[in-house]
Amino acid sequence: MFLISILVLIILVLVAVAFVTLLERKVLGYIQLRKGPNKVGLMGLLQPFSDGIKLFFKEQTFPYLSNFIIYYSSPILMLVLSFLLWVLFPFMVNVYSFNLGVLFFFCCTGLGVYGVLMCGWSSNSNYALLGSLRAVAQTISYEVSMALILVCMLLFIFSFNFIDFMYYQQYSWFLFFSFPLFFAWFSSCLAETNRSPFDFAEGESELVSGFNIEYSSGGFAFIFLSEYMNIIFMSLLCCIIFLGCDVYSLFFYLSMVFLVFMFIWVRGTLPRFRYDKLMYLTWSVFLPMSLNYLLFFSGFLVFMFLIF
């Protein structure tokens, strides 16, 4: 049953990725006062499948001077890491209890940097290498504040298991007493997934698509799938940590869709940051804020233990 559950989850996540791409194109279309995809199928519903078929049937090209084995294996590594993250989905039945889920999450997101770096380096292109270096610097920087924000929340549950977030938020969501942390976490999620306004790895005006510039056909599709699976997973994580984690409730999944919509909304609304501002934001704003919250929450909990 465990294998069937994971298999069904993976298939549904891939379908979700397809429809998130459609949602993104529709929302960006309406933001720009146009329709978006509306020809293939009813209201453009079959557009993602047509795009997927087109991508996988295109000719697979590769740069003559590229490091061939690493060039081909990097997108597969990125996709596998994105799939591995979904093992953390807080199933209540048919699975073993993942007691060290948070540590597993940090391991997978830390390894995700290597996929991007190898994609850019193995292409043997200056633009791809520049894009991958930007993405790696950005991801490593934001991982620090992201980890501290998560540690702040872990102080309340004293566990590395994501399911415990559900038990401890039955009466009050963590969002209500850590509102600024939620926005810092959401901004860090945007930066982790290389999304606008932090999409420096893909700055069209400078790098033209960044680290994946030399990829086509299946390799590009794998990188694309990996990025969108990470977006959906980060939205899931926001719901788990801050919005109650009630996996039996329809509201949990609706709030998850709303967070995915916020990823798209931000892309359609905000201009790209300047690179030094991006680094300033995490090292001089998010990091001190999360450290102060960590001290405050830990001091508060010690005070409560001493009283009671």
Side-chain angles (χ1 to χ4, degrees), residues 59-286:
E59 181 188 358
Q60 178 81 53
T61 59
F62 64 93
Y64 187 65
L65 295 172
S66 65
N67 194 322
F68 190 74
I69 296 169
I70 298 177
Y71 174 83
Y72 264 114
S73 57
S74 303
I76 297 166
L77 170 70
M78 290 175 75
L79 190 69
V80 166
L81 285 171
S82 298
F83 276 133
L84 276 176
L85 277 175
W86 282 95
V87 178
L88 295 171
F89 189 89
F91 280 115
M92 305 300 285
V93 288
N94 293 339
V95 282
Y96 54 85
S97 185
F98 211 142
N99 285 326
L100 299 175
V102 175
L103 297 181
F104 184 79
F105 165 70
F106 285 138
C107 291
C108 285
T109 49
L111 282 172
V113 172
Y114 292 103
V116 175
L117 189 62
M118 288 186 337
C119 277
W121 176 77
S122 63
S123 301
N124 204 16
S125 156
N126 290 338
Y127 296 107
L129 183 62
L130 274 172
S132 68
L133 288 175
R134 282 182 173 197
V136 167
Q138 178 178 325
T139 308
I140 289 171
S141 300
Y142 275 86
E143 256 173 27
V144 178
S145 51
M146 203 172 188
L148 280 169
I149 292 168
L150 195 46
V151 168
C152 286
M153 297 295 107
L154 293 179
L155 283 174
F156 292 107
I157 64 168
F158 286 105
S159 163
F160 288 126
N161 194 334
F162 281 119
I163 291 176
D164 287 340
F165 277 103
M166 181 173 174
Y167 302 139
Y168 282 88
Q169 293 185 83
Q170 279 184 345
Y171 301 108
S172 174
W173 291 353
F174 288 166
L175 173 74
F176 295 133
F177 51 82
S178 54
F179 203 62
L181 275 186
F182 171 74
F183 285 107
W185 171 268
F186 185 71
S187 303
S188 300
C189 287
L190 287 171
E192 279 287 304
T193 49
N194 289 325
R195 295 287 295 177
S196 182
F198 307 115
D199 55 342
F200 293 95
E202 305 175 6
E204 287 88 0
S205 53
E206 305 128 24
L207 300 176
V208 192
S209 196
F211 66 90
N212 55 11
I213 185 68
E214 301 292 353
Y215 284 91
S216 63
S217 187
F220 179 78
F222 285 164
I223 293 171
F224 191 74
L225 282 171
S226 162
E227 181 185 335
Y228 278 83
M229 279 163 66
N230 288 343
I231 288 170
I232 298 171
F233 184 78
M234 287 301 185
S235 302
L236 170 78
L237 218 54
C238 282
C239 292
I240 288 173
I241 297 167
F242 292 100
L243 299 173
C245 187
D246 186 6
V247 287
Y248 292 133
S249 161
L250 179 63
F251 183 76
F252 175 79
Y253 299 99
L254 289 175
S255 54
M256 196 170 144
V257 171
F258 177 71
L259 282 164
V260 171
F261 168 74
M262 277 178 70
F263 271 83
I264 300 163
W265 191 10
V266 165
R267 181 179 172 182
T269 312
L270 299 178
R272 190 176 292 126
F273 255 48
R274 216 170 64 198
Y275 197 79
D276 60 319
K277 298 263 187 186
L278 166 91
M279 290 303 174
Y280 175 84
L281 183 68
T282 181
W283 292 113
S284 302
V285 180
F286 289 165

